[in-house]
Amino acid sequence: MPIATTNPATGQVLRTFDPLTAAELDDRLARAAAAFGSYRRTSYEQRAGWMRAAADLLDAEAQATAELMTLEMGKTLKAAKAEIGKCAAGCRYYAEHAASMLANEPVDAAAVKASHAYVRWQPLGPVLAVMPWNFPLWQAMRFAAPALMAGNVGLLKHASNVPQTALYLEDLFVRAGFPADVFQTLLIGSDLVESVLRDDRVAAATLTGSTPAGRSVAAIAGDALKHTVLELGGSDPFVVMPSADLERAAQVAAVARCQNNGQSCIAAKRFIVHEQVAEEFEELFAGELGALVVGDPTDAATDVGPLATKQGRDDVEELVADAVSKGATVVLGGSRPESPGWFYPPTLLTGITRQMRMYAEEVFGPVAQLHRVADLDEAIALANDTEFGLGSNAWTNDPAEQERFATELQAGMVFVNGMTASYPELPFGGIGTSGYGRELGQLGIREFCSAKTVWVG
Ligand code: NAP
């Protein structure tokens, strides 16, 4: 994919960038290694000061940055502003908590015949972060804030369609006061990821993106014996049981499917509804989806902007066409407008069967599939009939059912009576082909640290 800013609302290419040459890339890696040599010795207080300064800059520059994000990948301006606020909060959270999260952990010295023994958390080194365009600031920041607070150095290979947002991030950390080269943006295509990953100066990698990209990075990192965190695709279930507040569930369902123009890994994608309430829920849900305003992402009234790329819209159209050709019913939407830009309307399909591609594949756009089930067992079985396992949602006011969902949904996250979301306080990640490892929370900051055992006789 060329490295370029293309406005998804018009399809116009606005700016292109040359990828780094081999010599430039080598120089960047050398600088990262050199920066780690001294940055690892900085104190948590120093890092926290720089991280808080980055948060302040994010807040101060929110309007211009949000406009850039909207221009490059089409999210609504209001969503872009919310994302920036979340990034600032994430920076402040790790500035405040990193030291206690990574404090030495004493162990029972007598039991290990020591006078003194503990576990010490130490940074790994330069970490390569391969990131997607859908939350172009937050995806990168939820790696960078904990990783830098832990004393690592960041190398960002961002998605090729958000180069200006990627460059903004490097500039942000420099202006916040972080030492030179502690966070660098590498303008490279995915073809150069392998050479960076294999380079001895790079200690570890994290990738957020599609399952095929994750597989490729995992295979290379496995061969090179480097630690990885993978946050990949998902097809999250959203189960609605008879005791649920149906109106609330339908409102949240529409947001959960269509937020970020339907392009979120943790978007609810498969709606699984108990037959007792299926008709009522379908009507409410269709009403909520139909009320969403599709259009210019810079307009404050818009709920759903364009998809980020032409390829992304083609993929969504193909999945819908496949389902319809095999008998699915279109309750709402289902065909794109003829206007310029890569718009696709909120769409609701019923009658989905195993023969249809979208039963198993992730739909990365505002298309909901609604299934009816006879009971709790069938709901759980259908929810788990997927190779993914990222987030999941269950709507029920029955405590016994809540417990069953929490125990039996095969996913990295279960949200009951609410929408799956990421918070700095909570570990985020999946199982199965949704990836492994965790971002955020204490587990997240420890991913790029080694747990060093210290034993003193
Ligand atoms: P993608 O094609 O996998 O791209 C993501 C990143 O990986 C980009 O920087 C891309 O670079 C790079 N990349 C692509 N193929 C690669 C390869 N073979 N080796 C190394 N790097 C490679 O993903 P996408 O289609 O743009 O994004 C949507 C996917 O990301 C969805 O499946 C979504 O669910 C997932 N996602 C997951 C999470 C999560 O937290 N679990 C969050 C957001 C998105 P180029 O742009 O240069 O190709």
Side-chain angles (χ1 to χ4, degrees), residues 76-101:
T76 62
L77 202 51
K78 61 191 173 198
K81 282 186 192 156
E83 183 173 336
I84 294 164
K86 188 168 178 170
C87 288
C91 290
R92 293 190 180 104
Y93 178 81
Y94 278 104
E96 188 178 341
H97 296 288
S100 59
M101 287 172 159

Side-chain angles (χ1 to χ4, degrees), residues 1 130-135 139 142 157-161 188-191 193-194 207-214 216-217 220 230-234 263-266 269 362 364 390 428 434 439:
M1 204 198 270
V130 183
M131 290 290 136
W133 44 264
N134 60 340
F135 294 93
Q139 300 287 0
R142 76 182 189 190
K157 181 268 176 275
H158 218 323
S160 293
N161 57 332
I188 54 172
S190 56
D191 55 320
V193 166
E194 175 163 4
L207 178 137
T208 300
S210 60
T211 299
S216 164
V217 161
I220 298 161
L230 299 180
E231 300 288 2
L232 309 178
Q263 305 158 121
S264 169
C265 53
I266 50 168
K269 290 168 188 147
E362 178 183 28
F364 218 53
L390 194 54
F428 182 100
S434 292
E439 292 190 286

Side-chain angles (χ1 to χ4, degrees), residues 191-251:
D191 55 320
L192 286 183
V193 166
E194 175 163 4
S195 65
V196 176
L197 200 47
R198 288 192 185 277
D199 194 289
D200 288 343
R201 292 165 292 192
V202 173
T206 179
L207 178 137
T208 300
S210 60
T211 299
R215 258 187 233 288
S216 164
V217 161
I220 298 161
D223 187 43
L225 290 179
K226 291 184 183 174
H227 179 68
T228 48
V229 170
L230 299 180
E231 300 288 2
L232 309 178
S235 190
D236 289 6
F238 185 108
V239 183
V240 183
M241 297 300 286
S243 65
D245 175 342
L246 292 190
E247 282 187 16
R248 181 78 193 126
Q251 283 161 4

